[in-house]
Amino acid sequence: MANPNAVVSDTQSAIAMAITSVNNSPHFSSSVSSNFNNITLFSRNKFPKSIETARGGIGNKNAWVDAMRASSPTRSVSENSEEKRAWIMKHPSALGMFEEIMSAAKMKQVVIFLDYDGTLSPIVENPDQAYMAPEMREAVKNVAKYFPTAIVSGRCRAKVYNFVRLSELYYAGSHGMDIKGPSSRKHKGNQNVLCQPAKEFLPMMTEVYKILLEKTKGILGANVEDNKFCLSVHFRCVEEESWNDLAKIVKSVLKDYPKLKLTQGRKVLEIRPTIKWDKGNAIEFLMESLGYANSKDVLPVYIGDDKTDEDAFRVLQERGQGFGILVSKVPKETDAVYSLQEPSEVMHFLQRLVTWKRSTMRNNH
């Protein structure tokens, strides 16, 4: 049984321990078998394709800007366009297919995984202002009453918690590199493990954050966010003609840190440790921690809007269990099964999920 007081820090055996909770927790398993003994490092030639292409040279302006633009689509697509109709046929609305989804959930334990920015809150110019609506918080709170629920975000776990303020949830921050179980009053006295497979990188991340903060001062609108085990360089408020200058700065800094890698999200460059750990690994860890690693009676649902959420969608696809829901108004390649247009639709989906569960409980009585 995992030591409930442990803080995982060794990247070679980081996930030998799992989040545990006392036996009266309604969701947590009291013991966890560990399949996460081998955490490997990314090779420097294994960057995501768009990043790898853009690394061709400091003067390769078009490659960098094209990669940044591709990861941050701003175009609008008409609801009646052939492209949008074809995409919706492939990834139908989770609201429109709600009954089918619930049919698959019968006699199974539903587990909910949620991204934060762009999923529970709208994308805003200032990431520090990405507040969720009170109605959304209520919807998430109600979902957590009936289903194990986790927020899986690229942000620092503490920041996400400060936005959400629901102690009954599981939080996986820094793209899943910082995981903690519930600490609500009903769990008072519980001892929760911090899963931090990249803990040894923390001094390096702090050092790089300070360097980037200083070097990006001359780029109007650039915002470097410290998310503990990852750094986010936001360019949402940067004029496109300055994107290449910003990318060159990030690239020049990373040349001195071969143990860090660069990925992209929506109008953001992400700097992360080179361990093979992402949101997909995080949900596998949480599923095992909850006791559902090999269960056939579970239906995991992951809702997210960003490129980094694709790692989680792929894990569910590979498991052949559960499904991903992409939040997007714009057709794009995804491993999600269903789609939702925006956070308001996410809220409606969660509300319907709670209504369905309550109805099912009444019928069973």
Side-chain angles (χ1 to χ4, degrees):
M1 183 172 176
N3 177 1
N5 292 313
V7 176
V8 182
S9 60
D10 181 358
T11 58
Q12 297 306 315
S13 60
I15 312 308
M17 294 177 254
I19 296 173
T20 56
S21 183
V22 294
N23 293 335
N24 66 351
S25 168
H27 300 317
F28 251 156
S29 168
S30 60
S31 64
V32 183
S33 62
S34 178
N35 291 326
F36 299 97
N37 296 331
N38 301 314
I39 294 184
T40 58
L41 297 179
F42 279 107
S43 165
R44 290 294 279 179
N45 65 356
K46 295 280 181 82
F47 282 92
K49 199 166 188 179
S50 60
I51 295 290
E52 187 177 357
T53 301
R55 292 176 70 86
I58 289 180
N60 193 357
K61 178 176 179 179
N62 289 338
W64 271 106
V65 174
D66 288 349
M68 293 166 79
R69 188 184 295 119
S71 69
S72 311
T74 56
R75 65 193 177 95
S76 60
V77 178
S78 169
E79 291 293 324
N80 296 318
S81 71
E82 184 176 340
E83 180 186 8
K84 184 67 175 282
R85 288 197 301 268
W87 190 79
I88 289 294
M89 286 288 290
K90 188 176 181 181
H91 307 286
S93 167
L95 288 172
M97 302 297 290
F98 187 81
E99 296 304 325
E100 177 181 298
I101 294 171
M102 291 303 97
S103 178
K106 286 180 180 177
M107 307 301 292
K108 293 183 179 179
Q109 172 64 64
V110 176
V111 181
I112 301 295
F113 299 99
L114 302 162
D115 183 26
Y116 184 75
D117 293 275
T119 299
L120 298 182
S121 74
I123 296 292
V124 294
E125 289 189 354
N126 184 349
D128 292 332
Q129 302 296 318
Y131 300 110
M132 65 194 303
E135 298 83 4
M136 179 69 87
R137 180 177 286 102
E138 187 67 18
V140 175
K141 182 176 183 178
N142 287 333
V143 162
K145 290 177 182 177
Y146 301 104
F147 313 105
T149 303
I151 308 292
V152 186
S153 172
R155 285 181 183 260
C156 168
R157 175 172 56 82
K159 288 183 182 179
V160 178
Y161 179 80
N162 286 337
F163 278 126
V164 179
R165 291 289 181 182
L166 293 174
S167 58
E168 58 267 43
L169 307 184
Y170 305 91
Y171 290 89
S174 301
H175 296 288
M177 289 182 283
D178 189 5
I179 303 175
K180 192 177 188 300
S183 57
S184 61
R185 290 183 180 178
K186 68 178 179 179
H187 293 279
K188 191 173 181 178
N190 295 1
Q191 295 171 309
N192 299 301
V193 170
L194 276 175
C195 171
Q196 296 177 333
K199 189 175 182 181
E200 69 181 63
F201 289 87
L202 195 53
M204 184 185 297
M205 301 306 293
T206 301
E207 181 179 312
V208 174
Y209 170 69
K210 291 177 180 178
I211 294 172
L212 284 172
L213 207 58
E214 182 63 31
K215 291 194 174 237
T216 59
K217 281 183 177 178
I219 306 292
L220 187 63
N223 183 352
V224 184
E225 184 180 13
D226 182 359
N227 284 311
K228 194 168 183 176
F229 297 109
C230 72
L231 304 176
S232 302
V233 183
H234 299 275
F235 55 93
R236 182 167 300 278
C237 297
V238 176
E239 294 295 332
E240 189 168 321
E241 55 263 30
S242 297
W243 286 8
N244 187 58
D245 293 334
L246 180 62
K248 281 163 57 176
I249 290 171
V250 174
K251 182 178 180 181
S252 67
V253 171
L254 286 186
K255 282 168 62 178
D256 297 327
Y257 295 90
K259 291 186 177 181
L260 300 181
K261 62 172 179 162
L262 183 65
T263 60
Q264 291 171 286
R266 292 174 64 180
K267 292 283 182 77
V268 64
L269 298 174
E270 305 265 22
I271 298 164
R272 295 192 251 172
T274 54
I275 64 169
K276 193 179 185 302
W277 191 262
D278 52 38
K279 290 184 177 183
N281 299 105
I283 67 170
E284 285 184 314
F285 176 82
L286 284 168
M287 288 289 287
E288 183 155 350
S289 302
L290 290 161
Y292 297 129
N294 301 307
S295 174
K296 301 297 183 184
D297 299 323
V298 63
L299 188 79
V301 178
Y302 188 104
I303 308 177
D305 73 304
D306 206 348
K307 188 173 182 179
T308 58
D309 297 310
E310 293 296 327
D311 296 316
F313 296 154
R314 277 190 290 275
V315 163
L316 297 184
Q317 188 179 74
E318 289 164 6
R319 286 174 66 99
Q321 199 172 33
F323 48 83
I325 301 175
L326 177 68
V327 184
S328 178
K329 290 184 176 181
V330 179
K332 52 187 175 182
E333 188 175 344
T334 180
D335 285 311
V337 178
Y338 300 104
S339 66
L340 291 168
Q341 296 278 303
E342 56 194 1
S344 63
E345 288 197 356
V346 174
M347 182 179 70
H348 293 150
F349 179 85
L350 297 178
Q351 289 170 338
R352 288 188 66 179
L353 192 61
V354 169
T355 300
W356 169 82
K357 182 63 177 180
R358 288 171 175 168
S359 175
T360 302
M361 293 172 67
R362 283 195 300 269
N363 292 338
N364 289 339
H365 283 73

